[in-house]
Amino acid sequence: MKKQLLSTSAIALGVAFAAPASAQEWDMTWGGFYNSHVGYVTVDSNTPAHAGADFDGVDVFANTEIHFKPSVTLDNGLTFGVDVQMEGTNNGGGATGIDETYMFIKGDTLGKIELGNENSAGYKMTVAAPQVKGGIGINSPSISGFVPISVGAGGNLPWLFRDSGISSYAEVLGNNDVPRITYYTPSFNGLTLGVSYAASSNVAGAGANAGNNFGVNRNAGVTDIFDIGLGYSQSFNGIDLDLSARWGTAENNTGIAGTSDPEVWNVGASIGFSGWTIGGGYGENDNGGLRAFDSEGWSLGVTYDIAGPWSVGFDTYQGTYEGVGAGSGDEAEYEAYQLVGSRSLGAGVTWAVYAAYIEGSVNANLGGTFGANANTETEGTLIGTSINLSF
């Protein structure tokens, strides 16, 4: 009940501030990004699905979105707007689709309210290892675009999108862009609090990414997803400091014996000085037996802005999956390292070169969670370059 009251109170607060105002002009803003990678990869694997396969050679990977962000600021100072993000590529499923789509209300004294399909406050406030723009993103399942480590690519890691085993940017049970309400407080000397609530999850067939909720039966499935994030950002004496902490949980109403409420938490920190930025984070997903594993992971990175257009950086991500249930003796590991050099070519245009090493391995003594991928290893070395457009 408290979660529902929190949601309705936040909406009421925004509407209460929205006194009648004279006609205003809408700012029809749009933008987005296009990141295009070309790389040469070598892969060694003893995963059964890769028997007889040859992944070595040149490949191309792209990540692109178009963002539509119309907004209007009323005479009372409140800004109302929407953010609709359209994917520019697909994974063979046909037409491209909508990713995030939500409405927002914000003001200097109100803070910000988001209503719609978007990641949680805890996810969006996460601080992790810094990365020079243009790398492949080893702190993400995107690396499977070159190195087939994930089960979906016939690999040997059971990663969940938005899961701590492969990324600092995690969600409860990996739920992503479900209909939710989020409130962010105004910044108090650099300190911001964010709280999110979603009625149901998009995992285990309970919904679709960027889809609407149907009527939510709170006596079935995974419901009432609650997230809270705390962020601190401040600059003083030539030092930039960013800190974050988050925790999230949901109610497990599946009735499955031996399961419990899932949770996620992480902490992160970043410090910048004299062109250097050093940072990292640590997080865990306790899936409560609703997934075949729990996971944890950490990131660490350093970047340096050289005088002029060049930046260089190094980052790593280390993740572990531990089997539960029938495969309680199973364990899998993910590790990745990357060195990046990036040059700004002009407004919103960046060229980068990078080298990365990625490894996914499974030690499944009982063979339950990871099945045929027991005791396997996939490793890849990638040399790549990218052009990155931000507009």
Side-chain angles (χ1 to χ4, degrees):
M1 178 62 70
K2 290 182 180 179
K3 298 172 186 175
Q4 283 85 343
L5 289 175
L6 172 67
S7 301
T8 54
S9 297
I11 298 173
L13 180 62
V15 174
F17 276 95
S22 59
Q24 304 292 324
E25 292 291 331
W26 279 77
D27 181 4
M28 302 302 291
T29 301
W30 71 280
F33 62 87
Y34 197 114
N35 303 325
S36 185
H37 298 254
V38 178
Y40 180 84
V41 62
T42 60
V43 176
D44 292 315
S45 178
N46 63 356
T47 301
H50 297 163
D54 180 7
F55 294 100
D56 296 355
V58 176
D59 203 353
V60 176
F61 177 81
N63 182 23
T64 174
E65 292 185 4
I66 303 295
H67 299 172
F68 302 93
K69 298 183 178 181
S71 65
V72 61
T73 301
L74 306 183
D75 287 343
N76 56 20
L78 287 181
T79 298
F80 290 74
V82 298
D83 190 328
V84 178
Q85 302 179 16
M86 184 178 72
E87 295 282 358
T89 55
N90 67 77
N91 293 318
T96 56
I98 298 298
D99 194 7
E100 290 92 343
T101 171
Y102 61 93
M103 183 187 80
F104 62 85
I105 309 168
K106 64 180 181 179
D108 292 340
T109 57
L110 170 66
K112 186 177 184 181
I113 299 170
E114 294 177 348
L115 291 163
N117 297 84
E118 174 63 311
N119 289 112
S120 70
Y123 169 95
K124 295 178 71 173
M125 299 176 75
T126 294
V127 174
Q131 187 185 83
V132 171
K133 188 171 185 178
I136 187 56
I138 60 173
N139 191 345
S140 164
S142 296
I143 191 62
S144 283
F146 284 103
V147 182
I149 57 171
S150 69
V151 171
N156 55 354
L157 289 189
W159 61 268
L160 273 175
F161 195 50
R162 310 303 187 208
D163 181 79
S164 297
I166 203 166
S167 177
S168 296
Y169 304 98
E171 295 279 21
V172 176
L173 276 182
N175 81 88
N176 185 52
D177 298 339
V178 298
R180 75 175 92 230
I181 177 171
T182 297
Y183 173 67
Y184 299 95
T185 67
S187 175
F188 298 102
N189 295 319
L191 187 66
T192 304
L193 176 69
V195 181
S196 294
Y197 170 77
S200 66
S201 168
N202 67 349
V203 297
N209 180 62
N212 276 322
N213 275 331
F214 293 94
V216 177
N217 177 6
R218 289 176 171 82
N219 289 326
V222 178
T223 65
D224 298 320
I225 307 166
F226 178 79
D227 288 270
I228 184 168
L230 188 65
Y232 178 77
S233 182
Q234 194 63 272
S235 298
F236 49 89
N237 298 326
I239 296 176
D240 299 321
L241 180 64
D242 291 285
L243 306 172
S244 72
R246 64 81 58 94
W247 174 78
T249 189
E251 291 189 10
N252 173 14
N253 299 302
T254 64
I256 301 174
T259 62
S260 59
D261 292 346
E263 294 184 353
V264 62
W265 68 270
N266 64 43
V267 293
S270 175
I271 184 170
F273 57 91
S274 302
W276 292 91
T277 302
I278 303 172
Y282 174 84
E284 295 184 5
N285 273 79
D286 177 356
N287 295 316
L290 296 170
R291 293 288 183 177
F293 54 85
D294 296 329
S295 66
E296 62 180 340
W298 57 270
S299 66
L300 183 66
V302 56
T303 66
Y304 179 64
D305 290 332
I306 304 172
W310 281 96
S311 298
V312 295
F314 173 82
D315 64 310
T316 181
Y317 195 84
Q318 310 280 323
T320 301
Y321 303 88
E322 294 184 354
V324 296
S328 57
D330 297 353
E331 183 177 89
E333 295 182 349
Y334 167 74
E335 60 180 299
Y337 308 86
Q338 179 175 220
L339 180 65
V340 187
S342 177
R343 178 184 173 89
S344 175
L345 302 181
V349 181
T350 302
W351 169 62
V353 292
Y354 56 88
Y357 172 80
I358 303 94
E359 179 180 321
S361 61
V362 169
N363 180 13
N365 294 324
L366 300 182
T369 300
F370 303 102
N373 291 326
N375 303 312
T376 62
E377 181 176 89
T378 298
E379 60 180 352
T381 301
L382 171 65
I383 304 297
T385 185
S386 68
I387 295 292
N388 308 276
L389 311 179
S390 179
F391 47 90

